Amino acid sequence: MIILSVLFLAIGLALLFGGGWLVALDGSSYYVVAGVAFIAVALLLRKRNKIANLIYALLLVGTLIWSIMESGLSWWPLAARMGLFLVLAIPLLLFAFFKRPAGGRLLFPVWLATALVTISPLFMTSPTTIEGQMTRSVSIPDADMGDVNQGEWNAYGRSNLGQRFSPLAQITPDNADQLQVAWQYQTGDKKGPKDVGETTYEATPLKLANALYVCTPHNWIVALDADTGEEQWVYDAKVPEESQRQHQTCRGVSYLPPSNAPLPPVQKSSVPAESLTSMQCDAQLFLPTSDARLVAVDPTTGARCANFADNGELDLMHNMPFKQSGYYYSTSPPIVAGGVVIVAGSVNDNYAVNSPSGVIRAYDVKTGELMWNWDSGHPDDTTPIGPNETYATSSPNSWSVASADEDLGLVYFPMGNRTPDQLGMYRSPAEEKYATSVVALSLETGQVAWVQQFVHHDLWDMDTPAQPALLDLDTPTGKQPALVVPTKQGDVYVLNRKTGEPIFPITEEPAPQGTIPGDYAAKTQPTSALTFKPAKLTEADMWGGTPLDQLMCRIQFKQLRYEGRYTPPSLQGTIVYPGNFGVFNWGSIAVDPKRQQMFGMPLYLAFTSTLVPKDGVDLGESNKGEQGLNSNEGADYAVELKPFLSPLGVPCQQPPWGYVAGVDLKTGKTVWKHKNGTIEDMTPLKLPIEMGMPGIGGPVITDGGVVFMAAAVDNYLRAYDLSTGKELWKGRLPAGGQATPMTYLNSKGEQMVVQVAGGHGSIGTTIGDYVVAYKLKK
């Protein structure tokens, strides 16, 4: 009993002093009351006084009432508030029954009723879910799906339309549970001791003729037999270790089809492809490397293409104003359209004010000759730059995947921000105009056709992160050429891709004000009628593994600056919600152009952003990645970014944190929304508890009505019913599946589904080097 008394006393003191701190911050007074009750119970237990049971019973009842008032009948919030207190009631019950049966009879009904109410939401529908069903009928049977053979996957989003939609229909909601592993391959390219933390395997393979082509984080291209997964050849771009800075990833390679004949069968070779004599190429694969090169190789052999640039290699640092190693490279595949290969790139966030340019450049697809360059710092002149000229310093870049409509002669780039992301005083009017937007450029000249901005004067790193999806959309005014693009802040914009005009309305909403001296915040920010933006956080939304953990999150919440979405960065620290991962990220969404439907994976995780005055202060270790302290060399402020976590390392805002959602694009209505993912691979106990987990990756829709996606932090590839969102099947992966899958037909006419499983450094999933293929059981 002495040990129990000491435990109650320790918890009581923590609740009392922490609660007092929270009250001083104008927070809830509950924890002070709970602390006093715990201390009273502790003192009475030492005297073996049965009043201890009565006080604790009253605390349980009061805590239950307070919990329901704050969070309603939602299980995870109730569990965080009540779970520890219910566990601590057990030894009191035992003590009461064995020592004083009357005391036990008093406490037991209270404990039982409280426990039943606490667990009752487990048997109810989550208040954050939406139940509904989208039609399975086809609206546009002849919908444009891009110029791709039915059984192939020729570009990152299958075609340059970026739909991530396959016309294959062998796998259906009725048989998806019959999927099994067909083959598994390991590339051999694994994380090394000198790799950066953000080492990620985000690749989506291409399927061309009889082969799959996949890149790796260290910039290899691997050619595999599409039937068996057997390695055919490997090209290693030989990237120096010192070029790795902020990211180490490759999302995919790009493809130029042969001019006349079909692509020849791939040739198996045990010789490293990079050692082969270069050749004149008809068809070409393009690989961007992390030391800022663009490499062209022959799809059949892996040999470099002698006709392209300098013996198959193009130096992307040409004409850059600053050339720091590892500060610029293309994490995403370039786009091949209109006779050019168009390259954009990632510029490291928050490392230095003076960084490489975010210029977008189009090169002749055969020769590598620069045809045009569009630099958002100097947007009007797209004439190829002269040998002694330089692009604009640190201009807004496009690090994600572009889409193209060759009939309209336009290419669409999701635009990022100028570095430093949280400091707006370095930007020119042109940079302000094109940052955090989608811009449509002429394939022929690079001139701007239109631009639509999604954040004004972005101070939150809300880069437009996702490839736009292009489809023809039925609207009340007739069929329109549409562009659908999701954003980090949760809005999904649906625009006419010819004109840039909104198809779904865009409105301006007032935004929080007040920044550091020398900067400003935009008075309003745009919002789309189709949105997954989160509700404004409140103190009651704070979570944690225990009431003590939750108390510390509440204290942090009150200490940090937060006035809702778009609260400006600050010296005291600002809650950024949605956080740096965004509601949507590079995984984008998938659209069904025939049924006019969208599948997405919205997630909700808050981050914190703190500006750190330098003024000669030694910052210590910095520039270790996007999360942590980054120096902003040349600026007066560094910035510290991190997830908003409790002392136990769990998110400070209550779950669910991740969902899957289905949208009817004809109406803009979210028809269903379900939490997605379990904690199985996040805890040592391997419990498959569905909480709605965050994830990084994207979905693929098939004409069979099945969606495939991994992405979540548990190691599974899942199949969903597009109509209802119901999970149909899941296959265990050997590592984290933070890549977008793809599907194709093998030589026997069987539908295959392939998922790269290599993990993600930022979210801590299992690292690996796997490519896993599935097909239906015979």
Side-chain angles (χ1 to χ4, degrees):
M1 191 54 61
I2 293 176
I3 295 174
L4 187 61
S5 174
V6 171
L7 176 61
F8 269 74
L9 181 62
I11 294 174
L13 290 171
L15 290 171
L16 178 62
F17 287 109
W21 188 1
L22 181 61
V23 168
L25 295 170
D26 197 29
S28 171
S29 59
Y30 161 79
Y31 295 91
V32 172
V33 175
V36 170
F38 262 83
I39 293 170
V41 170
L43 297 176
L44 291 168
L45 282 175
R46 287 185 64 86
K47 298 178 180 180
R48 299 179 180 271
N49 190 321
K50 63 182 180 180
I51 300 299
N53 287 355
L54 176 61
I55 293 174
Y56 200 71
L58 292 173
L59 174 63
L60 286 181
V61 172
T63 299
L64 178 62
I65 294 171
W66 169 76
S67 299
I68 293 175
M69 288 175 62
E70 279 211 324
S71 62
L73 286 175
S74 184
W75 191 78
W76 285 110
L78 287 180
R81 290 165 171 81
M82 299 294 304
L84 176 64
F85 293 172
L86 288 171
V87 171
L88 290 173
I90 295 174
L92 289 180
L93 276 172
L94 295 175
F95 166 71
F97 273 119
F98 285 112
K99 297 295 183 180
R100 294 178 178 84
R105 287 194 295 271
L106 173 68
L107 185 58
F108 182 74
V110 174
W111 182 91
L112 181 61
T114 305
L116 289 174
V117 173
T118 303
I119 67 171
S120 63
L122 285 175
F123 308 101
M124 305 177 187
T125 300
S126 170
T128 57
T129 63
I130 300 172
E131 298 295 336
Q133 182 168 342
M134 295 193 292
T135 180
R136 300 181 191 272
S137 61
V138 171
S139 298
I140 305 179
D142 59 346
D144 185 5
M145 292 176 274
D147 186 18
V148 180
N149 291 335
Q150 184 182 41
E152 295 194 348
W153 195 279
N154 289 182
Y156 181 76
R158 188 172 180 270
S159 75
N160 282 342
L161 300 179
Q163 296 170 346
R164 294 174 179 78
F165 176 81
S166 169
L168 302 182
Q170 290 180 15
I171 302 170
T172 69
D174 294 329
N175 63 18
D177 61 350
Q178 298 299 304
L179 285 164
Q180 62 181 6
V181 174
W183 52 260
Q184 179 174 294
Y185 168 80
Q186 287 185 265
T187 67
D189 180 18
K190 296 184 178 180
K191 181 177 171 66
K194 295 185 179 181
D195 287 349
V196 297
E198 183 116 358
T199 299
T200 60
Y201 206 169
E202 299 174 352
T204 296
L206 302 187
K207 196 271 185 174
L208 313 171
N210 68 321
L212 295 180
Y213 299 92
V214 62
C215 63
T216 74
H218 293 88
N219 303 135
W220 303 0
I221 307 176
V222 181
L224 304 175
D225 183 282
D227 288 349
T228 65
E230 182 182 4
E231 181 181 294
Q232 304 299 292
W233 54 258
V234 177
Y235 177 89
D236 181 355
K238 303 292 184 184
V239 175
E241 288 181 346
E242 61 268 19
S243 68
Q244 314 296 338
R245 294 279 182 161
Q246 196 169 71
H247 303 278
Q248 192 161 314
T249 191
C250 181
R251 296 192 180 96
V253 295
S254 304
Y255 172 56
L256 171 68
S259 53
N260 293 311
L263 185 66
V266 68
Q267 297 177 13
K268 184 175 181 180
S269 174
S270 59
V271 177
E274 68 274 10
S275 66
L276 297 176
T277 302
S278 57
M279 59 183 289
Q280 294 293 316
C281 296
D282 189 10
Q284 294 173 182
L285 292 175
F286 293 98
L287 171 72
T289 69
S290 53
D291 59 348
R293 290 175 287 150
L294 181 65
V295 179
V297 303
D298 173 60
T300 303
T301 64
R304 279 184 310 221
C305 296
N307 52 281
F308 184 80
D310 183 9
N311 200 32
E313 292 190 359
L314 179 64
D315 179 9
L316 296 174
M317 294 306 290
H318 72 81
N319 298 94
M320 285 294 183
F322 293 90
K323 301 187 178 185
Q324 304 99 320
S325 176
Y327 275 44
Y328 169 91
Y329 85 101
S330 297
T331 55
S332 297
I335 188 163
V336 178
V340 290
V341 53
I342 310 174
V343 185
S346 174
V347 178
N348 283 355
D349 290 334
N350 304 317
Y351 275 25
V353 171
N354 293 324
S355 291
S357 174
V359 63
I360 295 170
R361 293 169 285 189
Y363 301 92
D364 184 280
V365 77
K366 284 294 189 179
T367 67
E369 178 187 358
L370 182 63
M371 303 305 291
W372 54 259
N373 36 228
W374 182 75
D375 185 347
S376 55
H378 303 300
D380 297 327
D381 186 4
T382 61
T383 304
I385 197 167
N388 298 319
E389 297 177 287
T390 57
Y391 297 114
T393 299
S394 306
S395 52
N397 63 316
S398 180
W399 56 262
S400 192
V401 187
S403 303
D405 184 333
E406 294 196 61
D407 291 336
L408 291 177
L410 296 176
V411 59
Y412 308 94
F413 280 93
M415 294 298 296
N417 204 356
R418 176 184 172 137
T419 188
D421 287 289
Q422 287 75 26
L423 302 174
M425 62 280 289
Y426 302 98
R427 304 169 190 170
S428 69
E431 290 167 344
E432 290 280 18
K433 178 178 180 179
Y434 293 104
T436 318
S437 68
V438 158
V439 62
L441 303 179
S442 165
L443 277 168
E444 183 178 357
T445 67
Q447 288 288 326
V448 175
W450 56 261
V451 62
Q452 177 65 59
Q453 189 169 67
F454 305 137
V455 179
H456 306 319
H457 195 64
D458 183 359
L459 300 174
W460 305 271
D461 189 22
M462 291 296 180
D463 299 346
T464 308
Q467 180 183 26
L470 314 183
L471 76 160
D472 295 329
L473 188 61
D474 275 337
T475 72
T477 59
K479 188 182 294 185
Q480 294 194 51
L483 176 150
V484 183
V485 60
T487 62
K488 282 187 177 181
Q489 59 272 25
D491 297 309
V492 179
Y493 289 87
V494 183
L495 311 172
N496 183 303
R497 67 177 181 269
K498 183 177 181 179
T499 65
E501 292 297 315
I503 294 176
F504 292 172
I506 300 173
T507 56
E508 293 282 336
E509 297 183 352
Q513 298 295 289
T515 62
I516 57 172
D519 209 344
Y520 71 93
K523 293 183 178 180
T524 64
Q525 293 290 356
T527 295
S528 173
L530 174 54
T531 186
F532 290 88
K533 65 181 180 181
K536 184 179 179 180
L537 290 174
T538 67
E539 182 194 331
D541 293 321
M542 295 302 100
W543 200 62
T546 69
L548 294 172
D549 207 32
Q550 185 182 87
L551 171 58
M552 294 307 299
C553 282
R554 287 174 180 255
I555 291 171
Q556 288 186 71
F557 178 78
K558 288 294 185 178
Q559 288 178 315
L560 293 165
R561 183 180 177 190
Y562 179 67
E563 298 153 41
R565 198 166 64 148
Y566 304 119
T567 303
S570 62
L571 301 181
Q572 74 186 78
T574 290
I575 294 175
V576 181
Y577 185 60
N580 287 35
F581 281 168
V583 177
F584 298 97
N585 208 289
W586 57 261
S588 194
I589 44 94
V591 298
D592 183 335
K594 298 173 69 174
R595 295 166 185 83
Q596 311 274 281
Q597 294 166 355
M598 180 194 110
F599 180 100
M601 183 189 67
L603 64 94
Y604 301 94
L605 276 180
F607 271 61
T608 64
S609 170
T610 305
L611 297 178
V612 181
K614 291 193 281 191
D615 195 22
V617 175
D618 182 9
L619 295 176
E621 191 174 32
S622 63
N623 291 359
K624 302 301 290 184
E626 287 191 311
Q627 297 178 34
L629 183 65
N630 286 330
S631 64
N632 287 338
E633 183 181 342
D636 292 334
Y637 300 89
V639 62
E640 184 177 21
L641 305 170
K642 57 186 178 181
F644 184 30
L645 302 178
S646 77
L648 292 180
V650 299
C652 267
Q653 98 252 18
Q654 64 195 28
W657 305 299
Y659 297 84
V660 289
V663 175
D664 182 341
L665 288 173
K666 288 182 290 187
T667 64
K669 179 183 177 183
T670 300
V671 179
W672 54 260
K673 179 182 174 187
H674 305 154
K675 61 184 180 180
N676 180 62
T678 72
I679 63 171
E680 180 173 346
D681 294 300
M682 291 286 103
T683 64
L685 298 178
K686 295 290 183 180
L687 299 174
I689 300 174
E690 186 178 50
M691 289 182 67
M693 300 299 287
I696 294 288
V700 168
I701 298 175
T702 69
D703 202 15
V706 178
V707 183
F708 293 98
M709 187 178 73
V713 293
D714 53 2
N715 299 338
Y716 287 99
L717 173 65
R718 290 179 166 86
Y720 307 84
D721 186 331
L722 175 62
S723 178
T724 65
K726 176 185 176 183
E727 183 181 300
L728 303 168
W729 165 88
K730 62 181 180 180
R732 186 71 173 160
L733 295 169
Q738 281 67 59
T740 302
M742 50 83 73
T743 184
Y744 65 94
L745 292 179
N746 65 16
S747 65
K748 299 178 181 178
E750 299 169 309
Q751 185 178 352
M752 311 285 286
V753 179
V754 170
Q755 174 71 49
V756 166
H760 198 288
S762 288
I763 58 177
T765 50
T766 306
I767 299 296
D769 61 341
Y770 298 89
V771 183
V772 187
Y774 299 86
K775 67 178 182 179
L776 294 171
K777 296 177 184 177
K778 291 186 178 180

